[in-house]
Amino acid sequence: MDIEDEATKTTVLSKMRSEINRNTGLPAYNFASGISLLLFYAFAMQCMSTIAAVKRETGSWKWTLIQVGFMTGLAYFSALIAYQLLK
């Protein structure tokens, strides 16, 4: 890691720490929001190549859209539950 990367990392980290939620006045990024974002990104189908592979393997948009909908719902609800439990 060179000096420029370290300076950028410090800057981004300090910006995230100083970000304030306008509605509550509390920090915008905390442990609960971090864990909920990690869970959402772990479960959500964000990769277009994965969606294309499912379409190609099943030969149907029906199962592709069902899988995308299910994974998005799973990602949302797991993030929601984690955030509510950890806040």
Side-chain angles (χ1 to χ4, degrees):
M1 181 180 270
D2 66 15
I3 295 171
E4 201 169 291
D5 288 339
E6 189 66 35
T8 303
K9 180 180 174 184
T10 304
T11 304
V12 170
L13 186 58
S14 64
K15 285 182 181 180
M16 287 180 71
R17 284 186 178 151
S18 66
E19 191 70 29
I20 301 296
N21 184 333
R22 294 181 199 171
N23 297 331
T24 63
L26 298 172
Y29 300 104
N30 55 25
F31 182 73
S33 63
I35 295 298
S36 64
L37 282 171
L38 283 172
L39 285 171
F40 184 84
Y41 288 127
F43 290 125
M45 286 185 62
Q46 301 174 25
C47 182
M48 291 303 289
S49 61
T50 303
I51 295 170
V54 170
K55 163 65 170 87
R56 186 183 61 214
E57 292 294 325
T58 61
S60 165
W61 277 109
K62 174 186 171 186
W63 290 108
T64 305
L65 294 176
I66 288 171
Q67 184 176 8
V68 169
F70 175 77
M71 294 303 290
T72 302
L74 177 68
Y76 178 79
F77 286 114
S78 64
L80 177 69
I81 290 168
Y83 184 80
Q84 293 301 321
L85 290 174
L86 296 174
K87 72 174 183 170

